[in-house]
Structures are given as C-alpha cells and as structure tokens.
Amino acid sequence: MRIVITGVAGFIGSHLAELLLGQGHEVVGYDNFITGSKRNLEGVPAAAKFQLIEQDVCEPVDLDGAVDRIYHLASPASPNAYAAHRVATMKVNSQGTANLLDLATAKGARFLLASTSEIYGEPELPTQREDYWGNVNPIGLRSVYEEAKRFAEALCMAYHRERGTDTRIVRMFNTYGPRMGLGDGRVLSTFILQALKGEPISVYGDGTQARSFCHVSDALSGMIAAIEGDFHEPINLGSPQETTMVALAREIIAQVPGANSKVNFQPAPAYDPRFRRPDISRARQILGWSPKISLKEGLPSVVEYYRQLADK
C-alpha cells in the first residue's frame, strides 16, 4: 500500500514508518520539524520506498497518485512542546486535520487520527472508558492540546457522518520508548535523565498520583489493528496497569546502572491529574488487542537510548 504518515519524524511516527516500510509498503512522510527530528529517521533503510515532504500540514496537502492509508500523528504532544507551540498545536489539530481529511476523502483512503488520553482532562473516574466525556478546563494551560484533540475527534466524526470519509480514532495513553524527546516534560524522560545525571528524582506532591505506560511497539500494533478494522468511534490504546510516581521513580533508579539518585518530593503543581488509566475492553473486543510489554520490560531500551545520547 501507499501510506501517508504526518509527524513522521516524531517519536511514534518514525517507529511507525520503519514498521510499515519493513512490511513492504510505500511511505510518504510529512513533517515541519518544529518538534520532530531527522535523527529519528536514521533507521529508515536507504533503499526503502520512503518520501519525506518537509511541510506544515496546516497548508494545503496536494499529493499526486493513489493513497491507501493516512496516519495523522502531526502535533506537538509533550507538555513542554505544546506549551512552546500553543497556536501551532491548535492549528495542526484543526486546520491540519481538515486538510488530511480532505485528502482522505478525495483519495478514498482510510484515515486514522492519533488522539490522546488528555481529552479526558482531570478525570472524575479512576478508569476511563471511551463513553466518558471527560472533565476539561477549556482555557487551562493544557487546553491547547486537550481541546485541540477533542475538536479533531469531532471533525473526524463530522467527515465520516456527512461525507462518508473512512475514519478511525485511537486515544493514546502515555506511550513511551526510544526517541522520546530530551527535555520534553514527560515524566519518564525526566526521571531517566535525572537518574543518569545522578540528580534527585523530582516527584511532585506525595507521589501517589498514578499513570499507565504503553510501550511504542504495543501502541503501533494497536494503531494498525484499528486502521485495518471497521470501527469508527474512539478506541483507547494503553496499558491498564497503573504505576504511582514514587514507584516509577524507584523503578527507574533500579534500572539505571550506578544510579544513586534519591526521591525528592516537590510541591504539587496546580494541575496534575490523580490518575490516568484506560479501560481497554473495546480494544480487546473489537481489535483483539492488549499490550504485551510490561513497564519493567520496556524501560531498559529507553534508558539505553538516553544513555547513548548523553554520551554523544
């Protein structure tokens, strides 16, 4: 197939490109590199059927020839990234999504939106199902990402219902793995970098707030299952196994060779959801999908990735 990936030079997009190219598909990747990195594409085989187009997808997307699948991943996705690019985050998930949906409609391509667990905001339920509408501050500091993704989901369903566009939506929960950006504000990358430097691990509040973490390889298999399936409403992709922040800090200290970091408790920020855990019943029933790699199994590759970057 000929497959379009937006945000191809990002953490998840680059892994997806390598996987699809390895399966023999042709990949056309879009990225404007405000958060993506060409270093992430170094693993793309030289002889692969890969075309890189350096473009902001908020501009019209004109692509000759057939297109079979579109994975729309373009968006700043980490706290530091969308704080630095607030307007761009809103635009790529609104106008950018519309442009890609227009392309999918014109080409008769299947379209997958990579949405996020952030659409649930500060959840009032300990486990979030897809029929939970969330608890979001529409003008809060995270609203540029939360509301942008909520709008993108609504736009997908509008195109599907009105224009017959063949859309899919997946809500990603804390995907992790090699190539997460340095200093991106994600808790895993922050803790690992602090441990590698021998610095105290900064845990905010009492450390009992919990998150679930899904390895990128599991996330990719879920995305592919979703786009190849026939379900059009949102599907959660993530791990149902939660880890508290203090337990995560201690696990990372144990995983980093020679680390002597201590846990340093800091005042809790004004906005920090107490829990973020997906109900993946829909993914299990409709896609036959559930994550395979535990956090303990997945962490070593991330630690090694950051260690190699620190040595350069």
Side-chain angles (χ1 to χ4, degrees):
M1 292 186 289
R2 189 172 188 231
I3 299 173
V4 169
I5 302 173
T6 70
V8 73
F11 154 51
I12 298 176
S14 60
H15 283 288
L16 178 61
E18 286 182 25
L19 178 61
L20 295 174
L21 288 165
Q23 293 174 350
H25 303 296
E26 178 183 351
V27 171
V28 180
Y30 285 85
D31 211 297
N32 65 352
F33 294 98
I34 66 167
T35 59
S37 170
K38 291 185 178 178
R39 181 181 62 232
N40 290 340
L41 298 175
E42 290 175 354
V44 174
K49 301 175 183 177
F50 178 65
Q51 178 185 3
L52 174 63
I53 299 175
E54 190 167 344
Q55 179 192 323
D56 185 343
V57 294
C58 294
E59 302 298 326
V61 179
D62 297 318
L63 185 62
D64 293 333
V67 176
D68 299 292
R69 303 285 185 268
I70 299 173
Y71 289 85
H72 183 32
L73 280 66
S75 176
S78 68
N80 288 356
Y82 54 73
H85 304 285
R86 297 179 184 277
V87 174
T89 301
M90 297 291 288
K91 284 186 173 182
V92 75
N93 285 292
S94 53
Q95 186 58 59
T97 301
N99 288 343
L100 273 300
L101 284 165
D102 285 337
L103 180 66
T105 306
K107 301 290 187 180
R110 290 188 183 182
F111 175 96
L112 181 137
L113 171 70
S115 188
T116 173
S117 62
E118 294 291 328
I119 67 102
Y120 297 116
E122 173 66 80
E124 297 163 314
L125 303 175
T127 302
Q128 295 83 59
R129 291 187 356 170
E130 292 89 349
D131 57 4
Y132 174 55
W133 295 348
N135 178 32
V136 177
N137 177 355
I139 59 169
L141 292 176
R142 292 182 183 236
S143 63
V144 294
Y145 189 57
E146 295 167 337
E147 293 290 4
K149 288 297 188 181
R150 288 163 74 92
F151 178 86
E153 288 193 13
L155 194 60
C156 282
M157 295 308 299
Y159 268 76
H160 173 67
R161 290 165 176 152
E162 181 178 314
R163 302 184 181 180
T165 312
D166 198 5
T167 59
R168 312 285 188 275
I169 301 168
V170 292
R171 292 176 179 164
M172 318 285 283
F173 279 71
N174 286 331
T175 304
Y176 75 99
R179 301 181 197 159
M180 289 190 301
L182 287 167
D184 62 8
R186 290 184 172 101
V187 65
L188 267 176
S189 54
T190 300
F191 284 7
I192 291 171
L193 287 172
Q194 288 176 329
L196 285 169
K197 294 176 182 178
E199 297 174 351
I201 306 295
S202 301
V203 173
Y204 295 95
D206 61 6
T208 60
Q209 63 271 43
R211 298 290 184 272
S212 64
F213 297 94
C214 182
H215 192 269
V216 63
S217 61
D218 283 328
L220 296 183
S221 68
M223 293 169 68
I224 292 172
I227 205 169
E228 298 305 326
D230 293 317
F231 192 77
H232 301 285
E233 294 186 13
I235 298 178
N236 288 337
L237 294 181
S239 170
Q241 302 301 315
E242 277 190 318
T243 303
T244 66
M245 294 301 94
V246 69
L248 175 66
R250 289 169 178 157
E251 178 63 32
I252 286 174
I253 291 170
Q255 293 259 9
V256 173
N260 56 5
S261 299
K262 306 296 182 184
V263 175
N264 182 24
F265 291 95
Q266 304 275 344
Y271 180 90
D272 189 20
R274 295 295 304 168
F275 31 70
R276 189 61 61 71
R277 180 177 66 188
D279 181 321
I280 61 169
S281 300
R282 183 175 282 184
R284 285 190 174 117
Q285 293 165 4
I286 293 172
L287 306 180
W289 178 90
S290 61
K292 308 299 182 188
I293 299 175
S294 70
L295 181 60
K296 189 170 186 176
E297 293 169 328
L299 273 177
S301 64
V302 190
V303 170
E304 178 61 17
Y305 172 76
Y306 281 123
R307 189 193 64 76
Q308 290 182 7
L309 284 184
D311 289 344
K312 290 182 179 180

